[in-house]
Amino acid sequence: MIDRDGRIVFGALLSLVLVLTLSIVVEAQLGVGLREYPVLSFLVFAGLALAAPQLYLAATDDETRDHDPARSRVQFAAVATAVFALAFADDASGISYLAIATIGSCAVIGLVCYEALRWHRGSSEGSLSQG
């Protein structure tokens, strides 16, 4: 039996396969392929397959005392989005390049803000419990 995390990640990968299959059918019928739209391709791969399931699991996971899976999931989603942005922006040009690079940069900036907020909350709670 697959656990909850595995089902969610597997579901995201299955939806990626379905989207890619649909894209191939649309390309064969209409001549419009997913490769022609780099921003959409990036959102399908980085968003649907990687970031969405990890961020969903981070939002719904329970925090344990010794290990914080939500933090690891947010970090993975942000770094994976930034890495995929680098890969997809290399093939894009013009406004598509700018959009993909902006999304990747915002993922890294968001991660820095998330970590700063966690640090601030941790230091605030520590000073309140000491006082």
Side-chain angles (χ1 to χ4, degrees):
M1 188 74 172
I2 300 175
D3 64 338
R4 177 179 172 268
D5 295 356
R7 286 192 311 262
I8 291 171
V9 171
F10 180 73
L13 292 176
L14 181 62
S15 63
L16 174 68
V17 169
L18 291 174
V19 167
L20 291 177
T21 304
L22 181 64
S23 169
I24 292 169
V25 170
V26 168
E27 185 174 5
Q29 295 297 319
L30 303 175
V32 178
L34 190 60
R35 286 182 236 118
E36 297 171 13
Y37 300 98
V39 175
L40 183 60
S41 298
F42 169 70
L43 291 176
V44 166
F45 280 97
L48 181 65
L50 289 174
Q54 295 302 320
L55 293 177
Y56 172 76
L57 288 170
T60 58
D61 276 348
D62 294 327
E63 290 187 19
T64 59
R65 192 174 185 118
D66 298 330
H67 179 61
D68 187 5
R71 183 177 184 189
S72 299
R73 293 186 186 285
V74 169
Q75 290 171 345
F76 175 78
V79 171
T81 300
V83 168
F84 269 81
L86 284 173
F88 278 83
D90 186 41
D91 293 335
S93 61
I95 194 75
S96 297
Y97 172 83
L98 183 63
I100 294 170
T102 301
I103 293 169
S105 299
C106 287
V108 172
I109 292 169
L111 178 61
V112 170
C113 292
Y114 174 78
E115 292 294 331
L117 182 64
R118 287 184 52 84
W119 173 80
H120 177 69
R121 285 184 181 166
S123 64
S124 298
E125 290 172 0
S127 64
L128 290 176
S129 64
Q130 292 176 357

